[in-house]
Amino acid sequence: MLTLVAILAMASVLMAGILYPNGLPGGQGLTHLTVSASGISYGYPQVATIYVRMNGTGSNAAIATANLSLTISRFNFTVAKYIGNNSSSISTQSYSLQRVYNSSKYEASEAVSISVPQISNVSSILGALSLIQNVYVTQTSSSLSSKQSEQLMQSALSLAIQNATLQAQVAAGSNAVSIRNMTVSKGYVYPAYPAAYSAGVNSGPEQNPLFFSGREGVLEQVTVEFVYK
């Protein structure tokens, strides 16, 4: 798609040069070229989020709730060292207390998310959580940090401007081009490769499951008006 956009942009540049060899009307002898181009920069995420579900069962609601509380305490103690003992990194997503279908038992369940500031800790957390009974990892995701996103956007923008300038220079031949106006489209982040992990219930000593965070890209698009004599 990016190649097709570049070809179409080049075609429009060449057409403008053919129709107005001495510059567009009102351009005071300057030839105007408008080029659209994109730039992409890639980076590896530094932060992650782990989604966990925990439950507790009992013969009545009070016992189920107490068992869930015990599980939550073990969970909090386990992950604390990986998140700098920052309890605000753990957020409750949902909570439920209900009688188990077709049974006399009750089940209390809570789903939480863990914001992990260092993605290198994810594998260790997954391994540690797999040893806690009634704790289930449902999903993991990774993302760029704010600093990473800002740096990659600046890099992608620079590449987009370079690509636009190269296109304009080809159309202008030996004439030096200069930027007159520029419009920057909103950049966005997308995963080039999805995050993935493999985890199972470990019956032996703690084992760290494989976690591959993948790579993410930042795309910036620009429309640049160049002039040359």
Side-chain angles (χ1 to χ4, degrees), residues 29-60:
L30 295 177
T31 299
H32 294 240
L33 303 175
T34 300
V35 180
S36 294
S38 300
I40 306 176
S41 289
Y42 296 100
Y44 289 90
Q46 293 181 346
V47 298
T49 303
I50 302 176
Y51 298 89
V52 178
R53 182 177 64 85
M54 297 170 280
N55 67 357
T57 58
S59 57
N60 56 52

Side-chain angles (χ1 to χ4, degrees), residues 82-162:
Y82 299 108
I83 57 176
N85 293 307
N86 184 7
S87 59
S88 62
S89 296
I90 302 175
S91 302
T92 299
Q93 304 296 310
S94 64
Y95 175 86
S96 66
L97 174 62
Q98 58 188 1
R99 187 170 181 175
V100 178
Y101 177 73
N102 204 24
S103 172
S104 61
K105 291 185 177 181
Y106 285 80
E107 180 185 53
S109 178
E110 183 171 353
V112 302
S113 64
I114 315 168
S115 297
V116 185
Q118 296 294 332
I119 201 168
S120 58
N121 288 330
V122 171
S123 292
S124 297
I125 295 175
L126 294 176
L129 291 179
S130 68
L131 300 178
I132 307 176
Q133 189 176 9
N134 298 324
V135 172
Y136 311 93
V137 176
T138 59
Q139 182 183 351
T140 64
S141 64
S142 57
S143 61
L144 301 171
S145 66
S146 298
K147 183 177 181 180
Q148 276 185 297
S149 296
E150 182 180 351
Q151 291 175 340
L152 290 178
M153 283 184 178
Q154 292 177 354
S155 177
L157 178 59
S158 177
L159 289 174
I161 296 173
Q162 290 179 31

Side-chain angles (χ1 to χ4, degrees), residues 33 164-177:
L33 303 175
T165 303
L166 287 173
Q167 293 182 44
Q169 192 61 66
V170 170
S174 60
N175 299 300
V177 298

